[in-house]
Amino acid sequence: MMKKLSIAAVALAALILTGCATGPKVRSDSAANVNFSTYRTFGFMPEPATDKAGYATLVTQHFKDAITAEMTALGYQYSDANADLLVNFNSNVENRTDVRSTPSASIHYGYYSYRHGIYAGFPLISNDIDTVRYKYGTVNIDVVDAAKKQLIWEGISEGTLKKADLQNPKQAIANVVGLIFQQYPTRQTVKP
């Protein structure tokens, strides 16, 4: 059980969606009529969704580090108690299989093979079948108004996991969190 959870956590972090050549798909949604500039501090939910086994995982710490960097860059200050915003995050990895069929043609001469050239046999049409197995991951980041206990922003990233993501989950998580926070509502108003 613990080994499966560990593997899933690493895969999930790796999943961290540094996916296809074009990268992961990222989208976000904001609550209407929310003035994001009124918030000053942020913290994390007491039990993030990545801590399912009752203890803080390395994946959780990687997410917290990456999110803290992004929120700080946006001008928020971290607060352990009484934060204006609470951040939760989750990741999910699933095994997927694609079956691809490619038409192909071949010419067989059979019994009449001595008649090459002008007397070629008829083409036989068939399909080449390829089975491709891969890991596909999703990362969600929720930002909640702590006083109202209301979700005000959600960022989501989905993509195919690469081998490099599995080998360096901390960097993979930092990359995907950075991509998600590119869509944060106040990102355009923050100067580097």
Side-chain angles (χ1 to χ4, degrees):
M1 168 79 172
M2 293 304 284
K3 186 174 182 177
K4 281 185 178 181
L5 185 60
S6 245
I7 290 171
V10 169
L12 177 145
L15 130 111
I16 304 296
L17 307 161
T18 334
C20 320
T22 59
K25 294 179 231 165
V26 179
R27 64 185 186 283
S28 66
D29 193 13
S30 300
N33 302 320
V34 173
N35 183 354
F36 284 83
S37 65
T38 61
Y39 300 105
R40 301 282 180 242
T41 60
F42 76 98
F44 293 99
M45 297 296 280
E47 293 182 30
T50 54
D51 288 347
K52 295 180 177 139
Y55 61 89
T57 64
L58 290 174
V59 169
T60 296
Q61 191 56 53
H62 297 329
F63 270 109
K64 284 184 175 183
D65 292 345
I67 291 168
T68 297
E70 293 295 329
M71 292 294 280
T72 301
L74 290 167
Y76 297 106
Q77 286 188 309
Y78 177 77
S79 175
D80 269 336
N82 300 319
D84 299 330
L85 299 172
L86 293 176
V87 182
N88 195 9
F89 45 87
N90 191 25
S91 61
N92 182 48
V93 177
E94 62 184 62
N95 292 316
R96 289 194 175 178
T97 303
D98 284 346
V99 178
R100 299 174 185 158
S101 176
T102 308
S104 64
S106 60
I107 298 177
H108 293 278
Y109 296 101
Y111 178 76
Y112 297 104
S113 62
Y114 67 93
R115 295 182 180 171
H116 297 306
I118 204 163
Y119 297 105
F122 290 102
L124 297 175
I125 307 298
S126 63
N127 286 318
D128 292 335
I129 306 293
D130 291 318
T131 302
V132 179
R133 290 178 178 80
Y134 59 97
K135 294 192 181 297
Y136 191 85
T138 304
V139 171
N140 295 66
I141 299 175
D142 296 340
V143 177
V144 176
D145 181 311
K148 295 178 182 177
K149 296 187 181 349
Q150 178 182 1
L151 181 69
I152 61 169
W153 183 78
E154 176 182 36
I156 302 165
S157 180
E158 299 177 297
T160 304
L161 297 179
K162 294 180 180 179
K163 185 177 181 180
D165 299 330
L166 295 169
Q167 293 172 343
N168 191 355
K170 183 175 184 171
Q171 187 60 51
I173 289 171
N175 291 344
V176 77
V177 168
L179 288 172
I180 292 171
F181 271 95
Q182 290 298 315
Q183 296 190 9
Y184 195 78
T186 61
R187 177 59 99 194
Q188 293 76 20
T189 61
V190 175
K191 293 184 175 55

